[in-house]
Amino acid sequence: MSVLNGPFLCRYVKGVHQECINSHYFKLQHKFNFDGIKFPTPLSQVKKFEKSNPNVSVNVYTFNESEEIYPLKVCNKELKEHFDLLLFTNDVGVSHYCYIKNFSRLVRSQFTSYTRQVSFCKRCFKHFQGSRLKTQLKNHMKDCISHKPVKVVMPADSDDSDEPSFLSFLNFHFMYPVPIIAYCDFESILKKPVVEEKLSQHVTVKSIHEPMSFCVYFAYDTNGLSDEVINSLPNDPYLYRGPNSAGKFVEYIVSMSNLIGDILDVNKKMLPLTQEEKDRIKLTTHCKCCHSEFTETFNQPCKDHCHLTGRFRSVLCYSYNLKRQNQKYLPVVIHGSSNYDSHFIIKHLGCDKKKLK
């Protein structure tokens, strides 16, 4: 009997000594299809088991040295026959799966001392309690399902210090908007293939999506760019309709990226300060970016200015004044790229071997 059989069949074994593998188990071993499942069973083959049993879904969890449960594999949808398994691994690397009869009772003590019914999200371990827990969990799953399973671990207090530990955001210079960004969209048509291609037993190519046109629109930060720069860039949407739309799109974006790189490769000196700006500098005691306090020795204030316009922006610490630089990349936002349009252009991205600016 495979190491994976027991956890699935024990749910259906009745009577005493359910944990013992006896004749009751062997009577049920044909309930599921275990063909092709190796012994011992690696985690990767759990998905194979699900494919062999279309009405079965499986979640797999394990625990760390502190005996805290965390997810290894979580399905997107729990089917009619759903199983939660706990994977044990001993010191010599031998693993064993155990059926989790009550997931909430298993993990509840890790998060709360609440003794009544608690519902857990099996993807992120967020828990809900009270009279509306089912509704709250259902609403939570609408957002959580779009993310990978994870167990949130908060930072522990340091043993070497009386100060509590904090998670800090450090890349403050990424918060500032870029002066130039491109928005794009593709349109495609369905074409019948010359010969229908059978990719597998259940998949046959009946039609092919072929991009027929694209549109690119550039948006600019009028406060961060001079009129001279804005006038040298396209202000109207660029529309292309014709053959090889994906290839033409990559060519156009690359050419515009190089053009923008040349235009933004400037370093204008700071313009003379106004009296209002001078007063603001004198009154500033903390970095505008990271909010650290200025000192006369290690954290001296620096006057930050826009290298494209020469205008004074704010007072920063020395570190973040160096980090805040001109835009060195072109952000391209493509409508539907996360699920659809990106496959049009991926094969064309390697055509240009030159380094983009």
Side-chain angles (χ1 to χ4, degrees):
M1 182 174 289
S2 168
V3 71
L4 202 59
N5 290 43
F8 289 104
L9 301 180
C10 68
R11 178 198 286 183
Y12 306 97
V13 175
K14 306 299 181 181
V16 296
H17 303 300
Q18 297 181 13
E19 72 281 0
C20 299
I21 298 178
N22 50 33
S23 59
H24 296 294
Y25 278 82
F26 291 103
K27 292 178 182 178
L28 296 167
Q29 63 180 334
H30 300 295
K31 186 175 181 64
F32 300 106
N33 181 10
F34 292 96
D35 294 342
I37 304 300
K38 297 179 180 179
F39 173 80
T41 309
L43 182 64
S44 59
Q45 285 215 327
V46 175
K47 290 185 177 180
K48 183 177 181 180
F49 172 78
E50 289 179 313
K51 290 182 179 179
S52 301
N53 299 270
N55 63 330
V56 175
S57 59
V58 183
N59 293 341
V60 181
Y61 302 87
T62 189
F63 53 89
N64 56 21
E65 296 177 353
S66 303
E67 298 185 353
E68 294 178 334
I69 310 295
Y70 63 91
L72 291 177
K73 176 203 171 295
V74 180
C75 57
N76 291 331
K77 182 180 180 181
E78 294 188 3
L79 302 179
K80 182 179 179 181
E81 297 282 353
H82 177 75
F83 296 85
D84 292 322
L85 304 182
L86 184 65
L87 180 61
F88 292 86
T89 304
N90 61 17
D91 296 336
V92 295
V94 178
S95 300
H96 181 73
Y97 293 94
C98 177
Y99 172 59
I100 302 174
K101 187 176 181 180
N102 190 318
F103 183 82
S104 175
R105 291 183 64 182
L106 177 67
V107 301
R108 181 172 58 190
S109 60
Q110 294 180 199
F111 301 95
T112 179
S113 58
Y114 192 74
T115 56
R116 297 184 181 181
Q117 185 180 6
V118 180
S119 290
F120 281 86
C121 170
K122 296 180 180 180
R123 303 180 66 85
C124 68
F125 286 26
K126 181 176 177 60
H127 63 280
F128 302 91
Q129 58 196 44
S131 58
R132 298 182 62 250
L133 56 86
K134 291 185 179 180
T135 303
Q136 292 173 333
L137 178 60
K138 184 178 180 180
N139 294 334
H140 166 78
M141 288 301 298
K142 294 178 182 178
D143 296 325
C144 194
I145 197 70
S146 61
H147 302 283
K148 293 182 179 180
V150 66
K151 176 179 177 291
V152 178
V153 179
M154 301 303 293
D157 292 346
S158 175
D159 296 333
D160 301 329
S161 175
D162 295 333
E163 296 293 330
S165 299
F166 293 95
L167 287 176
S168 300
F169 178 71
L170 299 178
N171 295 323
F172 295 97
H173 52 292
F174 291 148
M175 297 191 304
Y176 295 100
V178 291
I180 303 175
I181 186 172
Y183 295 95
C184 317
D185 193 15
F186 273 92
E187 294 295 336
S188 63
I189 57 175
L190 293 177
K191 297 185 67 175
K192 291 282 186 180
V194 179
V195 179
E196 292 186 357
E197 182 182 1
K198 193 173 181 64
L199 300 180
S200 66
Q201 181 180 357
H202 304 288
V203 179
T204 302
V205 178
K206 295 287 187 179
S207 58
I208 299 174
H209 288 251
E210 183 176 297
M212 57 168 288
S213 65
F214 68 86
C215 183
V216 181
Y217 176 73
F218 289 93
Y220 312 112
D221 179 14
T222 55
N223 294 324
L225 295 174
S226 63
D227 294 337
E228 179 184 357
V229 172
I230 294 177
N231 293 332
S232 62
L233 295 170
N235 291 302
D236 297 324
Y238 176 81
L239 175 64
Y240 173 85
R241 182 181 288 112
N244 191 26
S245 294
K248 294 293 184 181
F249 169 78
V250 174
E251 291 179 6
Y252 178 71
I253 288 295
V254 169
S255 63
M256 290 303 302
S257 177
N258 291 331
L259 173 63
I260 292 172
D262 293 335
I263 293 175
L264 299 184
D265 189 20
V266 295
N267 187 4
K268 290 188 176 182
K269 293 183 178 181
M270 186 168 58
L271 298 174
L273 297 173
T274 64
Q275 186 59 45
E276 181 183 354
E277 291 171 340
K278 292 179 181 179
D279 295 339
R280 181 150 59 97
I281 293 173
K282 291 180 180 179
L283 296 175
T284 303
T285 59
H286 291 72
C287 174
K288 187 70 174 179
C289 192
C290 67
H291 308 294
S292 61
E293 186 176 4
F294 294 133
T295 62
E296 296 182 358
T297 54
F298 299 106
N299 195 30
Q300 296 181 351
C302 297
K303 292 185 285 290
D304 172 50
H305 76 284
C306 176
H307 294 262
L308 303 177
T309 62
R311 292 195 292 262
F312 169 76
R313 289 188 295 208
S314 59
V315 183
L316 303 179
C317 64
Y318 179 78
S319 175
Y320 280 98
N321 186 47
L322 292 178
K323 291 180 180 179
R324 191 173 182 187
Q325 301 177 2
N326 287 352
Q327 178 179 347
K328 294 184 177 180
Y329 61 94
L330 175 63
V332 180
V333 180
I334 305 177
H335 176 258
S337 64
S338 61
N339 297 317
Y340 187 74
D341 285 354
S342 59
H343 79 278
F344 290 147
I345 64 173
I346 286 177
K347 62 182 179 181
H348 295 278
L349 292 177
C351 297
D352 193 309
K353 297 183 180 180
K354 297 179 182 179
K355 184 177 180 181
L356 300 181
K357 294 183 180 180

